Amino acid sequence: MKMRSVFPMKLAKAGYIVMSLVFCAAGLLLFLFPGLSAVLVGRALGIAMIVFGCIKLVGYFSRDLYRLAFQYDLEFGILLIALGLIVLLRPVNVMNFIFIALGISIFADGLFKVQIALDSKEFGIAEWWLILILAFITGFVGLLLVFRPAESARILTGLLGVSLLAEGILNLCVALSTVKIVRHQRQDMPEADYEEL
């Protein structure tokens, strides 16, 4: 039986880890320096969303062993690419759009990661509880970003930083604990059609 290449899984896992660290760093930067240029922040986030969207698509089609981490990444990959393009092509009032769009995206990702945590528990992954806690925190912070508890640009930018940091930590935890790469993984067998006698 032909073995499946593990390169797409390795690429997706490495991309997840790198982009998670990028989001953590961007989150810390925005939290510590909320007065950064809105245009610069918008462009950087737009590019990061497009790159992470592409990585999510690679992950979705990689068919990793547990199929936990990437199970919702077709939709989220397309969403992130679309949001990134909008942010890059429509820079006017980009920060208002980023707060709402990223807030909804982070909230939704938190909700889907709750399901991944519960599925991880079924698979016997020891870190399922950590994924669950991080998913709830990330979802809550994403929701705060949507409802904007303050109108101050500095406070909102700091909250965006916290949201990106939470999203980065959540994705890093999911990638490290649920993406298992087996060197000699066999190709999936198509389900055979059976006739009842």
Side-chain angles (χ1 to χ4, degrees):
M1 173 161 300
K2 187 177 178 184
M3 296 295 168
R4 181 191 312 154
S5 171
V6 295
F7 178 74
M9 287 175 268
K10 287 182 178 180
L11 180 65
K13 184 174 184 175
Y16 248 72
I17 291 169
V18 168
M19 289 308 296
S20 296
L21 293 173
V22 166
F23 280 135
C24 288
L28 281 174
L29 190 65
L30 288 173
F31 182 74
L32 296 174
F33 304 102
L36 292 172
S37 162
V39 174
L40 177 66
V41 169
R43 285 185 182 149
L45 285 177
I47 292 168
M49 285 188 284
I50 291 169
V51 171
F52 199 33
C54 292
I55 290 169
K56 282 181 173 284
L57 291 177
V58 170
Y60 178 79
F61 290 108
S62 72
R63 315 279 294 169
D64 68 301
L65 183 62
Y66 290 155
R67 297 194 178 110
L68 289 174
F70 308 132
Q71 64 182 320
Y72 304 111
D73 281 359
L74 177 64
E75 299 85 358
F76 273 109
I78 294 169
L79 176 65
L80 282 177
I81 291 169
L83 291 176
L85 287 171
I86 291 169
V87 167
L88 287 177
L89 298 175
R90 305 289 260 183
V92 178
N93 295 326
V94 74
M95 290 309 284
N96 287 331
F97 177 76
I98 286 175
F99 292 139
I100 294 170
L102 268 180
I104 291 170
S105 177
I106 290 171
F107 173 69
D109 194 38
L111 289 179
F112 284 117
K113 293 292 195 304
V114 167
Q115 183 62 51
I116 289 172
L118 297 176
D119 291 343
S120 296
K121 182 180 180 185
E122 296 290 320
F123 274 91
I125 295 173
E127 298 86 4
W128 72 269
W129 59 272
L130 181 59
I131 296 170
L132 184 67
I133 291 169
L134 291 172
F136 277 123
I137 292 169
T138 301
F140 177 73
V141 175
L143 203 56
L144 277 180
L145 195 58
V146 173
F147 286 112
R148 300 169 168 203
E151 287 302 315
S152 164
R154 292 179 72 84
I155 292 173
L156 286 173
T157 303
L159 184 58
L160 176 62
V162 171
S163 299
L164 289 173
L165 180 61
E167 178 75 1
I169 292 170
L170 174 62
N171 282 317
L172 187 62
C173 180
V174 168
L176 292 175
S177 61
T178 66
V179 179
K180 304 298 180 198
I181 299 171
V182 177
R183 181 174 297 201
H184 301 293
Q185 191 172 359
R186 296 183 190 275
Q187 286 187 332
D188 290 338
M189 294 293 293
E191 292 186 24
D193 293 328
Y194 297 101
E195 281 185 32
E196 284 189 36
L197 296 175

